[in-house]
Amino acid sequence: MKVALFIPCFIDAFFPEVGIATLELLEKTGCSVVYPFDQTCCGQPMGNSGCEADARGAEALFVKNFADYDYVVSPSGSCVHHVRDHFTAVEQDAATRKVRASTYELVEFLHDVLKITDFPWAEFPHKVGLHNSCGTLRRLGHASPSELNVAPWSKPLDLLRGVKGIEFVTPQRPDECCGFGGTFCVTEEPVSARMGYDKVRDHAGAGAEYIVSADMSCLMHQKGCAERLGMPLRFIHIAQILNGARH
């Protein structure tokens, strides 16, 4: 299966190890991975800030880079959410519609398309708290939101259960927003910081050694909050654990 890999700009700049782990993981599952070298930002920061027209160039380039692939996979729920649900500045022609429908976040691609449940090369002997970002939870359908009266389910946990040695701990408010919210953490800094402090304290109180997520942007925010509070929590993207990272 040929897959185009989309690495968001902030992961490329700040967390290249997450991009590398995603590439290696997809190859381990048998995918033939292509990385279009002309890719840039998908336009999400402009869209989130209400500057939709300014995102048109980035969105058009995204379509040009990825229109020829059956699947586009990315290790960022927020970027995939933008492409799938808010990619409206660019002309909605056949190529754009195809790219929007073919873009998947890594967890949903592994779970829903490849249907993988076991990662025999992976072992992570630590207590882990899962963070579902608001976008992956309620727009990409990663797990059952707590406000719905349904039997609980979770695609990230389904995948992580295939990792040897991992132990899960659950905070008291598992799907409460961490306060990142893109530009929200800049425009509403005091509120965002307090939400982040509450989130990492909740995970620490549950006994977590690591917080894992499919959204590195949320983890970046929480890492800064934990460091300010002097908490020894560690943060890791789900791709790294599934690819075989031990710490």
Side-chain angles (χ1 to χ4, degrees), residues 144-177:
S144 52
S146 59
E147 66 268 16
L148 299 183
N149 187 25
V150 297
W153 52 271
S154 171
K155 296 177 185 180
L157 288 180
D158 286 347
L159 298 178
L160 288 168
R161 289 187 185 106
V163 176
K164 293 186 293 291
I166 196 166
E167 181 179 349
F168 302 109
V169 297
T170 305
Q172 293 182 2
R173 302 182 301 279
D175 58 0
E176 183 175 86
C177 178

Side-chain angles (χ1 to χ4, degrees), residues 4 49 75 81 96 135 142 146 158-159 177 199 213 216 230 244-245:
S49 301
H81 172 36
T96 300
H142 264 207
S146 59
D158 286 347
L159 298 178
C177 178
K199 173 61 74 172
S213 180
M216 205 65 212

